[in-house]
Amino acid sequence: MARIQTVEDIRLDEARTRKKHWKRWGPYLSERQWGTVREDYSANGTAWEFFPHDHARSRAYRWGEDGIGGICDRHQMICFGLAMWNGRDHILKERLFGLNGHEGNHGEDVKEQYFYLDSSPTHSYMRMLYKYPQEAFPYTQLVEENGRRGKELPEFELLDTGVFNENRYFDIFVEYAKADVEDILIRITAVNRGPEAAALHLLPSLWFRNTWSWGRDSRRPSARITPNIPGGVCIELEHWQYGKRWLLCAGQPELLFTENETNYQRLFGIGNSSFVKDAFHAYVIQSDKAAVNSQQVGTKMAALYKNMLGPGESVVLKLRLTDIEPLEEMDNRSAVAGTVNIPGHDRAAEAIPFANDFGEGFDAMFACRQKQADEFYSSRVPRELSEDAKRVMRQSFAGMMWSKQFYHYDVRTWLDGDPGQPTPPKERLTGRNHEWTHLYNDDVISMPDKWEYPWYAAWDLAFHTIPIALVDPDFAKEQLILLLREWYMHPNGQLPAYEWAFGDVNPPVHAWAAFRVYKIERRLRGVADRGFLEKVFHKLLLNFTWWVNRKDPEGMNIFEGGFLGLDNIGLFDRSAPLPTGGHLEQSDGTSWMGMYCLNMMAIALELAKEDPAYEDVASKFFEHFVHIAHAMNDMGTNGRSLWDDEDGFYYDVLHLPNGEEHFMKIRSMVGLIPLFAVETLEPEIVDRLPGFKRRMQWFIDNHPDMPEHIETTQRSARGVRRLLSLVSRRQLKRVLDRMLDESEFLSPYGVRALSRFHADHPYEVAVNGHVSRVDYEPAESTTGVFGGNSNWRGPIWFPVNYLLIESLQKFHHYYGENFKVEFPTRSGSETDLWQVGAEISRRLIRIFLRGEDGRRPVAGGTELFQSDPHWKDLVLFFEYFHGDNGTGIGANHQTGWTGLVAKLIEQSGE
């Protein structure tokens, strides 16, 4: 694709070189801070109960803030978000509502309708939509009905309650446009979609994260009213880190002030010593005028706009958060027009409006930034795509950008407690994350889902970086490096998994992601960032060593690993001691390590092009891979191969205390993951590295029992091409025979995580009088393993499908067009592996696109999303997808790894 240097590209360059800090402000506000591990100070780690949703409006957070459609600075000192009231709710709507992990019949689940519509990588332009019912929000109904439902029933959603019937809701669009780095224009548009007039109170709110109540830093920021500006009101902000800022609000809203402090009276029956966090709720809904500070000063404020909107009527609110002192740069000739050239704000050509210009200049800046965002994405989104595919790709990028979040967690401080608070229970010192006291996180991180998973997960993050690299390679690289820094990575080399259990084990895909990001950036920018690759490689050496020492218990190159991100895919909880005793030799754990070896070898060979010192390291990973391949496929007298030649598939092997060994014959993604460990050694690379070539040949010559996983049968014009693969040519045919069978793994919408074979043939094992069973479940899980809100027993998951496609491409690169397979199995039609990968890509992409019937599979039977003009172009990127019909399931804003669809569209089209 031709590269066009857009204005947004220039901003990215300025951010990378630190000429201008365009990314200092962004959508870094969480969508759920309550119910997180960080806010949990209970004795036994009961995070959901310790800080429930009911406390969120009244209780100051320790480690972060949340809100709706909000922004903050990269250290979340100053926050902005939107609160609202429809005249009927019993609480002020300041944050998204959802069920906690114990209330939902399939685990935690947000019960709102909101959509990320646009964002440039520097957040110079952003837009989101929140759909707010005009009837009372059905909090109680959602909790009670989901509580009545068992795991065999689907979740009861907000749309099921009927609150959107007859279009009785408001569409509330929140937009941001940066006039400059510290000068942010805000536009909020509310539209009544209903048939009757309806009341709507809008409260754009600004507050400071509470850093002063914990006994460690008593400095308190402030917001206070200042003299009005023509056409609006002005609030002066002062923070010890940023100095002065101003919030300008068009019109004459009522200004409310309070403190971001806990309401001890409401929660604990203890008298309050100050104004409190939920004051605006008391003022607006309970008409408690004494709840707010009449002196109009505090650490939290809101501008109250009261509206009555007729059918189809809309209202527009305009605000501005700026570091420009308003009274010094106002246009006194007009309250609505003018531009200014301010020292330090050198984009005069872009017509930065005067502080009191909420008219033409204000709207022109939005038009300018939106146009620049369009130009930027036009340079990334293939022109030949349909408008529908372009829309899907653009919204997937928007979701990736909006899913950035400030994440703060100092485990040592969290365990010890704060001087200004009660001493935490001593049980915590030996409880959750107590072995991770080095961990100090204070960064903007890409989240899987800012409501359901408002915390990073190691392997999720690696997949996020692939689509992110298409639009912002710098942020992608920063994310990968971040988890390898000393204040994240454990001193023993382990990467933190996720906050619920940093010591859990995610698949080791960091090296793969780093090399992919390196190559994506090289293609986009024409520059190879070797410094990044070297930095990542050196730290991953520590992580690789941790894996070898900790997850290969018998030193035989067969690996365990625990659940490895696949939650409930096995018969037992693979992160817990087996009820049978003994241990599990994992096909996926061993395969991931084979892939890890090849990824590290590929990186070392790339670095060796300019530094021969890396040749020896590349040799080490080559040899380690071959040992793993041999062990996995032929353990001889020392044990059982993980390959079942009778079934033509890979399985886990259960080793019992009495020495017995058994295949766990579950046809799942566990048996397809061996396909991921594949790499081609090109002659032009090997021949220019004589040390590596010599050592490789010696190893091959002196290990005649290991040739099956090093093929040298193909030649290119430049010499001998070599294939390294866990799966031999013969095994590849047999595995693909199952994977491409529509009665097993192949779905119209991708590759299932569990074969449909188990719909009629469930796998059962009786242990201690209890029967454990794995069935094909294409939708939600009926088990409670890992919280029950994720299901790997039949649905389609984008990350593993993406790796399968990449593996098929690599096999094709070696075997070429003459290697064909039946596709689908038993169809009588044969094709090469490149075409197989392309068709699987298209099946995945079709989940989101309108078909010939005008319907999107992702939306399933939800008619609003299929046909309503105000819904049908809104796309949600779910956590996983129904194995038979493609309906979205699980977390519905998990643009994180499902955002890989953007990369698939870019490389495969429609």
Side-chain angles (χ1 to χ4, degrees):
M1 153 184 338
R3 291 289 293 112
I4 301 171
Q5 184 77 349
T6 67
V7 175
E8 180 66 10
D9 285 308
I10 295 171
R11 281 193 284 265
L12 286 168
D13 288 342
E14 291 175 338
R16 180 174 62 255
T17 59
R18 296 184 171 273
K19 180 180 178 182
K20 300 191 76 171
H21 299 289
W22 283 106
K23 298 178 187 177
R24 178 172 290 158
W25 293 84
Y28 312 143
L29 193 64
S30 176
E31 284 162 359
R32 177 174 63 81
Q33 185 68 15
W34 61 271
T36 60
V37 168
R38 284 153 286 156
E39 301 295 338
D40 176 24
Y41 285 80
S42 66
N44 300 310
T46 52
W48 292 116
E49 290 75 18
F50 184 81
F51 205 132
H53 175 266
D54 184 56
H55 284 203
R57 71 177 184 271
S58 306
R59 189 167 162 186
Y61 293 127
R62 173 63 178 87
W63 296 98
E65 297 289 337
D66 57 19
I68 298 174
I71 60 171
C72 65
D73 62 278
R74 65 178 303 109
H75 294 289
Q76 204 175 84
M77 296 299 184
I78 304 173
C79 307
F80 177 90
L82 179 63
M84 62 204 88
W85 187 52
N86 58 14
R88 299 184 179 185
D89 286 352
H90 73 278
I91 61 174
L92 187 67
K93 177 67 74 173
E94 294 182 274
R95 57 189 48 79
L96 300 174
F97 173 72
L99 305 185
N100 70 36
H102 306 304
E103 291 172 330
N105 61 325
H106 293 287
E108 63 265 35
D109 186 43
V110 66
K111 302 297 184 184
E112 303 273 12
Q113 292 294 330
Y114 59 104
F115 307 89
Y116 307 129
L117 301 181
D118 208 357
S119 178
S120 62
T122 64
H123 313 296
S124 55
Y125 177 73
M126 297 167 55
R127 187 170 185 249
M128 67 88 65
L129 167 63
Y130 176 73
K131 290 181 177 285
Y132 187 31
Q134 294 170 4
E135 297 294 325
F137 197 90
Y139 294 100
T140 302
Q141 184 185 6
L142 288 164
V143 173
E144 291 180 350
E145 178 58 28
N146 277 282
R148 279 192 291 268
R149 295 190 176 197
K151 294 189 180 297
E152 72 283 356
L153 293 175
E155 295 168 332
F156 183 67
E157 303 291 3
L158 182 61
L159 288 174
D160 298 326
T161 68
V163 293
F164 290 101
N165 290 354
E166 298 180 304
N167 291 331
R168 293 182 184 274
Y169 66 91
F170 300 102
D171 267 343
I172 302 177
F173 297 90
V174 182
E175 294 176 278
Y176 299 91
K178 292 182 181 178
D180 212 324
V181 173
E182 302 279 357
D183 190 10
I184 305 169
L185 280 57
I186 305 164
R187 185 167 64 189
I188 300 166
T189 305
V191 185
N192 180 0
R193 299 294 186 196
E196 298 175 356
L200 177 63
H201 291 29
L202 294 172
L203 292 87
S205 304
L206 186 143
W207 67 100
F208 301 99
R209 178 164 62 90
N210 188 327
T211 58
W212 57 87
S213 292
W214 320 112
R216 297 178 181 275
D217 188 343
S218 61
R219 291 176 293 180
R220 182 186 290 259
S222 67
R224 66 182 67 248
I225 192 168
T226 64
N228 288 350
I229 59 174
V233 295
C234 179
I235 300 93
E236 181 183 273
L237 319 171
E238 188 157 10
H239 192 281
W240 49 266
Q241 178 160 313
Y242 288 113
K244 288 186 178 182
R245 296 288 188 278
W246 290 266
L247 180 68
L248 315 177
C249 311
Q252 294 298 314
E254 184 178 2
L255 298 182
L256 310 178
F257 291 81
T258 188
E259 300 294 336
N260 188 11
E261 297 273 14
T262 297
N263 186 341
Y264 289 96
Q265 181 64 50
R266 174 180 178 257
L267 298 178
F268 310 112
I270 303 171
N272 294 317
S273 59
S274 69
F275 294 96
V276 293
K277 179 179 177 179
D278 57 7
F280 305 155
H281 161 86
Y283 182 88
V284 172
I285 296 178
Q286 299 170 353
S287 299
D288 182 358
K289 306 305 181 186
V292 298
N293 189 343
S294 60
Q295 300 299 309
Q296 297 194 299
V297 64
T299 50
K300 179 180 179 180
M301 62 76 53
L304 173 58
Y305 293 85
K306 298 179 181 180
N307 307 281
M308 178 63 72
L309 300 180
E313 190 178 357
S314 63
V315 63
V316 179
L317 278 54
K318 298 180 179 181
L319 304 94
R320 186 170 183 174
L321 178 60
T322 181
D323 64 341
I324 307 168
E325 186 165 2
L327 297 178
E328 291 187 359
E329 65 92 22
M330 280 196 305
D331 179 3
N332 294 316
R333 298 165 299 169
S334 167
V336 295
T339 60
V340 65
N341 184 10
I342 303 154
H345 296 69
D346 55 8
R347 291 194 181 278
E350 294 184 327
I352 296 175
F354 283 105
N356 59 322
D357 179 359
F358 290 112
E360 292 179 4
F362 189 97
D363 292 335
M365 179 54 66
F366 269 95
C368 174
R369 291 293 183 255
Q370 188 170 16
K371 180 174 181 289
Q372 291 168 354
D374 290 343
E375 291 170 347
F376 174 79
Y377 282 114
S378 291
S379 73
R380 264 63 175 183
V381 176
R383 293 188 181 91
E384 63 271 16
L385 294 177
S386 67
E387 290 305 310
D388 191 39
K390 289 178 180 178
R391 185 181 299 111
V392 169
M393 198 170 172
R394 180 79 171 261
Q395 287 187 40
S396 71
F397 284 134
M400 299 297 302
M401 297 298 100
W402 272 92
S403 294
K404 299 179 185 179
Q405 177 188 306
F406 169 73
Y407 185 89
H408 189 29
Y409 191 13
D410 173 357
V411 172
R412 168 54 66 193
T413 298
W414 176 76
L415 287 171
D416 292 344
D418 293 306
Q421 299 295 311
T423 302
K426 65 180 184 302
E427 292 90 340
R428 301 172 77 253
L429 297 176
T430 55
R432 176 175 287 138
N433 296 333
H434 74 277
E435 295 179 335
W436 289 76
T437 54
H438 73 286
L439 189 136
Y440 182 90
N441 299 165
D442 185 6
D443 298 284
V444 172
I445 306 178
S446 176
M447 295 292 132
D449 180 308
K450 286 190 350 183
W451 195 95
E452 287 214 21
Y453 306 115
W455 31 261
Y456 62 87
W459 83 309
D460 295 59
L461 185 60
F463 286 107
H464 298 183
T465 63
I466 306 306
I468 288 174
L470 293 176
V471 296
D472 190 356
D474 297 316
F475 184 69
K477 291 185 295 182
E478 289 165 8
Q479 295 292 284
L480 290 167
I481 290 170
L482 195 58
L483 259 65
L484 301 174
R485 298 308 303 262
E486 304 85 274
W487 47 93
Y488 282 78
M489 177 188 276
H490 196 281
N492 66 18
Q494 184 180 8
L495 296 185
Y498 50 91
E499 69 173 27
W500 287 90
F502 282 128
D504 263 357
V505 184
N506 278 185
V509 291
H510 228 72
W512 166 80
F515 201 35
R516 292 291 288 119
V517 168
Y518 169 83
K519 290 190 284 188
I520 289 171
E521 182 186 33
R522 183 175 60 188
R523 173 171 63 87
L524 290 176
R525 289 178 169 166
V527 176
D529 190 349
R530 288 179 51 84
F532 157 73
L533 203 59
E534 283 191 282
K535 184 179 291 187
V536 168
F537 184 78
H538 291 157
K539 297 303 283 285
L540 284 175
L541 289 173
L542 301 176
N543 179 247
F544 185 90
T545 302
W546 174 83
W547 267 89
V548 171
N549 290 338
R550 297 293 291 273
K551 296 300 173 182
D552 180 11
E554 298 178 351
M556 295 183 61
N557 295 302
I558 295 292
F559 291 82
E560 298 179 21
F563 89 113
L564 287 173
L566 306 187
D567 293 29
N568 66 340
I569 201 164
L571 200 63
F572 313 118
D573 179 350
R574 302 193 302 170
S575 285
L578 298 176
T580 59
H583 68 275
L584 201 62
E585 291 181 344
Q586 295 182 217
S587 173
D588 55 337
T590 305
S591 302
W592 286 121
M593 280 304 290
M595 175 181 168
Y596 200 174
C597 286
L598 292 180
N599 296 151
M600 293 293 277
M601 181 196 72
I603 294 173
L605 290 173
E606 177 69 17
L607 295 173
K609 291 177 181 178
E610 296 183 16
D611 187 346
Y614 286 98
E615 289 188 56
D616 289 347
V617 189
S619 297
K620 176 261 183 296
F621 285 110
F622 165 78
E623 294 178 17
H624 203 138
F625 166 77
V626 177
H627 284 304
I628 289 174
H630 180 63
M632 185 169 178
N633 288 281
D634 181 17
M635 292 177 62
T637 60
N638 296 317
R640 180 189 292 269
S641 165
L642 302 183
W643 169 258
D644 182 354
D645 203 52
E646 180 181 348
D647 286 3
F649 206 69
Y650 287 96
Y651 297 117
D652 289 346
V653 173
L654 176 64
H655 286 251
L656 296 174
N658 64 6
E660 293 181 10
E661 300 171 349
H662 300 278
F663 276 129
M664 305 296 285
K665 291 199 171 188
I666 303 170
R667 297 180 193 169
S668 74
M669 188 59 64
V670 165
L672 299 180
I673 288 175
L675 297 175
F676 298 169
V678 56
E679 195 67 51
T680 299
L681 289 176
E682 297 297 335
E684 59 268 29
I685 294 176
V686 173
D687 291 345
R688 66 186 289 187
L689 303 173
F692 174 79
K693 183 178 182 180
R694 187 166 52 250
R695 174 65 188 180
M696 178 180 65
Q697 193 59 51
W698 180 92
F699 185 84
I700 294 171
D701 293 343
N702 285 275
H703 292 82
D705 56 337
M706 299 185 182
E708 194 172 23
H709 303 282
I710 311 172
E711 285 205 31
T712 58
T713 57
Q714 301 297 324
R715 290 183 174 272
S716 71
R718 294 176 293 274
V720 177
R721 176 180 286 161
R722 299 169 176 85
L723 178 75
L724 304 180
S725 171
L726 284 183
V727 182
S728 70
R729 183 187 184 104
R730 180 182 67 87
Q731 291 169 322
L732 176 61
K733 285 267 192 181
R734 298 194 67 190
V735 171
L736 291 181
D737 187 61
R738 293 203 184 280
M739 189 182 96
L740 303 180
D741 188 336
E742 292 180 317
S743 68
E744 290 216 32
F745 286 97
L746 185 63
S747 159
Y749 303 100
V751 177
R752 304 176 176 104
L754 186 80
S755 169
R756 258 186 126 261
F757 168 82
H758 292 298
D760 299 319
H761 305 89
Y763 188 77
E764 296 181 344
V765 171
V767 179
N768 301 325
H770 174 73
V771 176
S772 296
R773 173 178 173 134
V774 172
D775 294 274
Y776 174 71
E777 300 179 272
E780 287 94 348
S781 169
T782 60
T783 75
V785 178
F786 278 87
N789 62 337
S790 295
N791 182 24
W792 286 81
R793 296 183 176 181
I796 295 154
W797 291 78
F798 263 74
V800 287
N801 269 263
Y802 186 86
L803 289 176
L804 284 172
I805 292 165
E806 185 174 278
S807 298
L808 290 169
Q809 293 171 340
K810 288 182 177 181
F811 279 118
H812 174 79
H813 181 66
Y814 181 78
Y815 289 124
E817 296 177 359
N818 292 327
F819 185 98
K820 296 183 183 295
V821 294
E822 253 192 324
F823 183 70
T825 301
R826 295 191 304 278
S827 67
S829 174
E830 288 194 338
T831 188
D832 62 56
L833 297 186
W834 185 272
Q835 294 304 320
V836 172
E839 175 56 24
I840 293 173
S841 292
R842 288 189 287 270
R843 292 184 182 214
L844 290 161
I845 293 165
R846 283 201 293 268
I847 289 174
F848 300 98
L849 299 180
R850 285 206 199 100
E852 292 181 0
D853 59 358
R855 301 175 72 85
R856 300 184 195 277
V858 62
T862 307
E863 199 56 41
L864 272 177
F865 281 103
Q866 299 292 11
S867 57
D868 189 283
H870 301 302
W871 294 74
K872 67 180 183 178
D873 288 333
L874 303 173
V875 181
L876 290 173
F877 298 86
F878 287 81
E879 182 181 5
Y880 54 100
F881 302 86
H882 194 290
D884 297 334
N885 61 38
T887 300
I889 306 171
N892 58 19
H893 285 77
Q894 193 150 343
T895 321
W897 60 21
T898 301
L900 286 164
V901 68
K903 186 67 177 73
L904 292 178
I905 294 173
E906 188 235 18
Q907 69 189 30
S908 300
E910 298 176 68

